[in-house]
Amino acid sequence: MNQNSTTPATGWWRHAVIYQVYPRSFADGNGDGMGDLAGIRERLPYLKDLGVDAVWLSPFYASPQADAGYDVADYRAIDPMFGDLSDAEALLRDARELGLRTIVDVVPNHCSDQHEWFKRAVAEGPGSTLRERFHFRKGRGENGEEPPNDWESIFGGPAWTRLPDGEWYLHLFAPQQPDFNWEHPAVQDEFRSILRFWLDLGVDGFRVDVAHGLVKAAGLPDMGHAEQLKLLGNQELPFFDQDGVHEIYRSWRKVLDEYAGERIAVAEAWTPSADRTALYLRPDELHQAFNFHYLNAGWNAEELREVIDASLDAMRPVGAPTTWVLSNHDVVRHRTRLGGGLPRARAAALLMLALPGSAYVYQGEELGLPEVTDLPDEVRQDPSFFKENGQEGLRDGCRVPLPWSGTEAPYGFGTGGSWLPQPAEWASLSVAAQTGDPDSTLELYRTALAVRREHPALGAGDAVEWRPAPEGVLHFRRAGGFSCAVNTTAEAVRLSVPGRPLLSSGALPQEIPGRPGTYELAADTAVWWAE
């Protein structure tokens, strides 16, 4: 058994708060305007002080960057824009010394068209055995001029591209991202080897990109409809959430269990229901899955309660922790998406951190950053922005580099500007501007994470006890003397609570004179209570 990690067994992922770093936008260590591993390493103490348990790094592998690194050319090499392998090793070492665990992306559904396997498969032509590691097919029509089936790319347009030799290859995303054929044993062997390579370097786990997409329905049948696919969608499709993926993850779990220190895997799995998501988390498969059903819920008490109950109910039978997430690199930042501005975003954060299980924080949400909606077309890099009838193509707005300090861009991001322009109003949202201000969103997150870490009722768990509350208000208790109340309405409401307010996303509520135990809860406000 590998002994790179000597941390005693804790089930740490069951309660962890995991911070997503989008490497090109976190911190620039060499002054070229692009974030890198050296910049991340320098800012690790900030994450330790914030109070998170682990850091998840989006891809930093060698890549032509057709899709921001999710088109991997070499899974064992660092792209020069981010540094080199020694930088990765130093980052892992420093994180471990700070008590931070590190999770890295693995991208198994597809690679780059510049991956050595795919380049050789194209060069060798039809009939090449290397083509069997991908999905090459002859086209339909009299001369094979039509795609092999009616599958659509997530980024818009057909999911097939034809080569000059007449054959078509499958890419569920960009044409530069050919899908692997996971029925081929060489693909399965290669990825087990890739997992071991990074586990040997000391990573604590993997976020599995498009975990639901590896296996396609036998015969690659038509969808039978012309519906454009949605990123983070839940459609039932012949190339997503096929039962065959589970055998793959059982083999991965065996690899993870070879290593000491509780190494984990987190599924990015778009499924039709929480119950389908839970199948990825059976005891011999993966450890966590992103809760996209919660992320997609609106700011509505009834809808939120239904999603919370469904999520907890689905995870309980498989013994997996529920995860909670509000923002990531693929969706509009929740301060903007939920409407209601910063007060609502702060309330949503306290609600998320009060729920049982593990929570994910996307870089910058702790600063209360809004979505940048006015980026000029010429700076955008999201591949779906350039596709007709594709996604909204606006993912760049949540990927604008972070403001660290100063009154002018790039706000301490680095000495060489930033690859996407930062808004002028971000000066007041920088880490330096908010540090020490008790009313700032950064200090709210720091306080909430400290309370969450110390309070025995918070973190791991699989249930909440709902309490009576006015319409539009969520009120639940966690075993151990803690409750959370959230007013999702536009009006203040009165609420009876057997306890004292511990932390609030807004002004701390005051007891109403003459009404012991009754408080007024402001609009778009969440409050933690000690009972």
Side-chain angles (χ1 to χ4, degrees), residues 467 475-478 481-485 497-498 527-531:
R467 290 188 162 168
H475 189 198
F476 62 87
R477 184 178 185 276
R478 299 281 308 273
F482 171 91
S483 72
C484 176
V497 184
V527 181
W528 289 2
W529 308 83
E531 300 187 352

Side-chain angles (χ1 to χ4, degrees), residues 177-524:
Q177 294 170 291
D179 279 44
F180 284 114
N181 173 17
W182 273 86
E183 303 292 332
H184 199 291
V187 175
Q188 299 184 28
D189 289 345
E190 170 68 356
F191 272 90
R192 284 190 291 265
S193 174
I194 290 166
L195 296 181
R196 288 191 175 97
F197 177 86
W198 288 102
L199 290 165
D200 287 342
L201 284 183
V203 304
D204 294 286
F206 302 92
R207 177 264 193 186
V208 186
D209 184 62
V210 195
H212 55 294
L214 277 54
V215 172
K216 280 65 174 175
L220 309 186
D222 283 344
M223 292 194 302
H225 53 82
E227 176 185 5
Q228 171 56 45
L229 311 179
K230 293 296 183 184
L231 200 63
L232 310 187
N234 60 1
Q235 301 106 312
E236 294 188 22
L237 298 162
F239 44 79
F240 282 166
D241 195 33
Q242 301 295 304
D243 289 338
V245 298
H246 300 291
E247 188 59 38
I248 295 168
Y249 296 131
R250 280 188 279 273
S251 76
W252 284 24
R253 180 59 177 262
K254 291 176 182 177
V255 172
L256 292 165
D257 288 347
E258 292 172 9
Y259 289 78
E262 297 182 295
R263 317 297 180 94
I264 72 163
V266 184
E268 181 204 30
W270 318 339
T271 69
S273 68
D275 289 333
R276 289 292 300 180
T277 301
L279 297 178
Y280 292 76
L281 308 178
R282 287 172 288 195
D284 61 345
E285 294 191 42
L286 306 180
H287 298 76
Q288 287 186 349
F290 291 121
N291 190 344
F292 293 122
H293 308 287
Y294 182 76
L295 184 150
N296 287 324
W299 188 244
N300 173 281
E302 183 178 358
E303 182 180 358
L304 285 165
R305 178 168 174 167
E306 287 178 0
V307 172
I308 291 167
D309 281 341
S311 300
L312 292 169
D313 290 346
M315 295 301 122
R316 202 174 295 117
V318 296
T322 307
T323 67
W324 312 100
V325 58
L326 291 168
S327 291
N328 65 31
H329 65 291
D330 280 331
V331 299
V332 173
R333 285 188 176 275
H334 73 268
R335 172 176 171 175
T336 301
R337 190 182 74 250
L338 294 177
L342 189 54
R344 187 171 295 179
R346 289 164 59 99
L350 283 197
L351 168 60
M352 175 182 76
L353 294 172
L355 292 167
S358 178
Y360 281 78
V361 173
Y362 177 53
Q363 64 175 44
E365 75 172 72
E366 79 279 11
L367 303 177
L369 296 185
E371 184 81 358
V372 181
T373 58
D374 58 353
L375 289 170
D377 290 356
E378 58 268 22
V379 305
R380 293 189 180 277
Q381 297 192 23
D382 183 350
S384 62
F385 179 76
F386 304 99
K387 285 279 192 179
E388 294 182 8
N389 303 317
Q391 301 302 308
E392 292 83 354
L394 302 179
R395 292 182 298 168
D396 293 313
C398 64
R399 300 174 177 183
V400 174
L402 295 191
W404 291 94
S405 61
T407 58
E408 295 181 352
Y411 307 115
F413 172 69
T415 59
S418 62
W419 68 281
L420 285 173
Q422 302 154 301
E425 57 268 25
W426 279 19
S428 63
L429 297 177
S430 73
V431 172
Q434 295 195 49
T435 295
D437 177 358
D439 296 325
S440 72
T441 300
L442 176 57
E443 294 298 347
L444 175 69
Y445 269 76
R446 284 173 170 162
T447 301
L449 291 173
V451 173
R452 190 181 191 277
R453 190 166 52 250
E454 298 299 328
H455 200 294
L458 291 171
D462 65 2
V464 297
E465 174 192 338
W466 293 105
R467 290 188 162 168
E471 185 176 355
V473 176
L474 294 169
H475 189 198
F476 62 87
R477 184 178 185 276
R478 299 281 308 273
F482 171 91
S483 72
C484 176
V486 186
N487 180 9
T488 68
T489 75
E491 305 291 337
V493 297
R494 290 188 173 186
L495 188 69
S496 296
V497 184
R500 61 178 177 83
L502 187 63
L503 181 64
S504 175
S505 63
L508 206 63
Q510 301 299 311
E511 197 170 43
I512 296 173
R515 298 282 301 275
T518 300
Y519 295 81
E520 186 167 274
L521 192 59
D524 286 334

Side-chain angles (χ1 to χ4, degrees), residues 85-105:
L85 201 56
S86 67
D87 292 312
E89 291 177 297
L91 192 160
L92 292 169
R93 182 180 64 248
D94 287 3
R96 192 158 48 244
E97 290 175 354
L98 287 168
L100 293 169
R101 297 179 185 266
T102 307
I103 294 169
V104 299
D105 249 295

Side-chain angles (χ1 to χ4, degrees), residues 112-124 130 134:
S112 166
D113 61 358
Q114 298 305 302
H115 189 285
E116 190 60 32
W117 281 7
F118 190 76
K119 288 196 298 182
R120 286 171 53 199
V122 171
E124 292 178 11
L130 270 173
F134 301 92

